Amino acid sequence: MMYLTPTINAISLKDYMLPCLNKQLLGLDCPGCGMQRSVDLLVHGEFLAAFQMYPAIYPILVLLVFLITSTFLKFKYSQQTKMVLMFITAGTIIVSYILKMHNLFN
């Protein structure tokens, strides 16, 4: 009997991931380390694992969806919403990086 594998499992981003220059030179993760692996996990439907890999993945996705949507549709408070989403995204990246470094050195 012939089995078909789903297309989503056939797509593997792991072959195309770029190495982190900061990690190679200094031996420490950068604030963006884990984002590529998190996107790969999202593509494969592993939503909790994607969050655990890189907690800022969801605020980044919300920001991207808003930015793409706001280019086609005009919102009343578009500028303020964009700034709030950018601060939430940046804050999530910074806090998760601080916690990652704290766990690494303690």
Side-chain angles (χ1 to χ4, degrees):
M1 181 175 270
M2 183 179 202
Y3 292 102
L4 298 175
T5 59
T7 308
I8 196 101
N9 288 335
I11 299 171
S12 179
L13 300 176
K14 293 179 182 175
D15 298 333
Y16 303 103
M17 290 187 185
L18 300 172
C20 179
L21 185 62
N22 191 45
K23 193 168 189 171
Q24 287 182 339
L25 293 177
L26 303 175
L28 292 173
D29 289 348
C30 71
C33 277
M35 187 185 314
Q36 294 179 88
R37 290 173 285 166
S38 180
V39 169
D40 185 53
L41 290 168
L42 276 179
V43 168
H44 290 93
E46 299 180 29
F47 303 111
L48 182 61
F51 176 77
Q52 290 171 341
M53 178 64 63
Y54 192 71
I57 191 69
Y58 293 115
I60 289 172
L61 287 177
V62 171
L63 178 62
L64 286 175
V65 167
F66 178 77
L67 290 175
I68 292 169
T69 306
S70 67
T71 58
F72 299 110
L73 302 171
K74 298 301 174 198
F75 298 106
K76 186 174 183 180
Y77 298 107
S78 178
Q79 193 65 24
Q80 292 87 348
T81 306
K82 181 171 57 171
M83 292 302 291
V84 167
L85 289 174
M86 286 172 36
F87 282 123
I88 289 171
T89 302
T92 307
I93 292 169
I94 291 168
V95 168
S96 65
Y97 184 69
I98 289 171
L99 291 173
K100 183 192 295 187
M101 291 296 110
H102 177 72
N103 291 336
L104 181 69
F105 290 115
N106 288 328

